[in-house]
Amino acid sequence: MFHPSRRDALVAASLAAAFGLDKPFAFIDEAEAQTTPDPAVGFHRYKVGSIEVTALYDGIWEKPHDPAFIKNASIDETKEALAKAGLTTAFVSIPLTVVVLKLGERYVMVDSGSGAGQWQPTATKLASNMAAAGIDPARIDTILLSHFHPDHIFGLMNRNTDAPVFPQAEIVVSATEYKWWTEPGRVGALPEARKALGQRINAVFPGWKNFRLVEGEPEVAPGVRLVKAPGHTPGHAAYHVSSGNEQLMMSNDTFYVPALLAPHPDWQGTYDQDSALAVETRRGLIERVLAEKMLICGAHFPFPGLGSFAKDGAAYAFTPAKA
Ligand SMILES: [Zn+2]
């Protein structure tokens, strides 16, 4: 029998408060009780030329080990890579960081976060960290989406009503991504685990008028260009930010958890829809970043989501930036 500890009870109470529930959860699974401390300050600012970048911590998924997670690596090999990166081997740490770019007076957010617990009950902090950073969500002019997985789009939708959380913002997404998820017959063809996501996308997004679908690799905001990075999903996009002689590659989910994929860029995760294409994209993107000496950030890099890569034989060594 499961006996919630005092800490679990506290976690349950704080989650209940975050969800606006009047009663704490009666039960919280051990896997949902967060053991990773949040960063002391949940936002981090840096500059790319004249562009101000704010990294905002949403939370973390402490993913239980699962033999299917990496198709061509065992749990032991996964644990070994985590240990080498100085991470716990008790679970796979998958943190989530959302970035807001300030371009003059214009606020551009990349992805929307996971919607206050709609992805994982331990990822609820985007709104409070945005407030702490002094960013008013009503002032977000543009949202650039990387892809349609829950941790990147659920923050667009009210958890109960699906009402738009950012109705004033233009939402930019690759036409390939949008069309793939919404084409006739798609929901039926999705694997069981993705059907609910597909149904929600199809029930909600076609009714919104603020989507802008883009083809190719256009400039989508001043100094910001979409970079096609398919494999994770068919229309997965990175974004390239350039100002003066500084560049930032927002790799989004191309390198997923770099503790695993920098030393093993050919590992094929279940999270990548087309594994072979994801590997090709991953290698191509990082070679460009290294050749042009860009900064690189990623949605699931350790907070603040920035780090540096170096060549290490046929693979890469990753060093996370400290907040
Ligand atoms: Zn993701």
Side-chain angles (χ1 to χ4, degrees):
M1 194 179 155
F2 178 77
H3 297 282
S5 68
R6 183 176 145 68
R7 188 181 177 284
D8 290 337
L10 288 172
V11 170
S14 68
L15 284 171
F19 293 167
L21 303 176
D22 54 8
K23 269 189 277 184
F25 293 135
F27 173 87
I28 180 162
D29 189 86
E30 262 180 303
E32 295 177 356
Q34 185 180 340
T35 57
T36 308
D38 290 330
V41 180
F43 67 93
H44 179 79
R45 279 210 172 89
Y46 55 99
K47 285 283 204 89
V48 177
S50 63
I51 297 173
E52 185 183 273
V53 184
T54 306
L56 301 164
Y57 185 70
D58 192 14
I60 190 164
W61 179 21
E62 297 178 336
K63 187 191 175 305
H65 288 291
D66 160 13
F69 183 52
I70 311 276
K71 287 181 227 166
N72 50 350
S74 66
I75 288 179
D76 282 346
E77 288 169 315
T78 305
K79 285 183 175 176
E80 192 184 322
L82 293 170
K84 276 190 184 158
L87 297 170
T88 179
T89 58
F91 46 78
V92 182
S93 295
I94 306 182
L96 179 60
T97 296
V98 174
V99 166
V100 175
L101 306 172
K102 188 160 184 276
L103 310 167
E105 289 307 301
R106 185 168 169 188
Y107 288 86
V108 175
M109 185 161 75
V110 180
D111 289 333
S112 66
S114 60
Q118 295 184 62
W119 169 57
Q120 300 297 326
T122 47
T124 58
K125 326 248 171 10
L126 178 62
S128 57
N129 286 328
M130 194 181 280
I135 298 170
D136 177 358
R139 289 207 52 197
I140 302 288
D141 302 285
T142 303
I143 299 172
L144 308 177
L145 294 180
S146 62
H147 65 298
F148 276 1
H149 281 170
D151 45 326
H152 302 263
I153 60 166
F154 278 4
L156 297 172
M157 299 178 265
N158 178 283
R159 66 178 300 117
N160 298 313
T161 65
D162 287 336
V165 174
F166 300 94
Q168 79 289 351
E170 175 186 57
I171 303 172
V172 176
V173 66
S174 140
T176 304
E177 185 74 359
Y178 189 97
K179 287 177 181 167
W180 189 86
W181 285 95
T182 55
E183 69 190 9
R186 172 58 57 207
V187 175
L190 285 171
E192 214 48 49
R194 289 286 187 210
K195 279 199 199 312
L197 170 64
Q199 278 161 355
R200 193 177 189 196
I201 287 168
N202 280 277
V204 176
F205 288 172
W208 289 6
K209 302 284 178 254
N210 52 337
F211 270 101
R212 175 158 68 98
L213 310 189
V214 297
E215 310 268 2
E217 299 192 321
E219 188 173 58
V220 288
V224 186
R225 190 173 287 279
L226 185 147
V227 176
K228 289 199 240 177
H232 185 67
T233 61
H236 178 268
Y239 288 96
H240 175 257
V241 180
S242 160
S243 173
N245 56 8
E246 294 185 346
Q247 302 179 74
L248 167 69
M249 181 64 80
M250 307 191 66
S251 65
N252 300 325
D253 279 12
T254 306
F255 261 87
Y256 203 58
V257 173
L260 303 178
L261 296 184
H264 306 286
D266 298 333
W267 276 6
Q268 302 186 352
T270 50
Y271 41 81
D272 287 332
Q273 203 173 308
D274 181 335
S275 304
L277 183 57
V279 168
E280 189 184 319
T281 290
R282 187 176 301 137
R283 286 190 174 276
L285 191 89
I286 198 60
E287 287 299 327
R288 182 179 165 195
V289 165
L290 292 173
E292 298 186 41
K293 297 185 168 54
M294 298 176 190
L295 290 169
I296 179 168
C297 68
H300 303 294
F301 290 12
F303 186 75
L306 267 175
S308 59
F309 287 77
K311 285 241 201 208
D312 183 10
Y316 307 92
F318 174 75
T319 309
K322 295 268 174 275

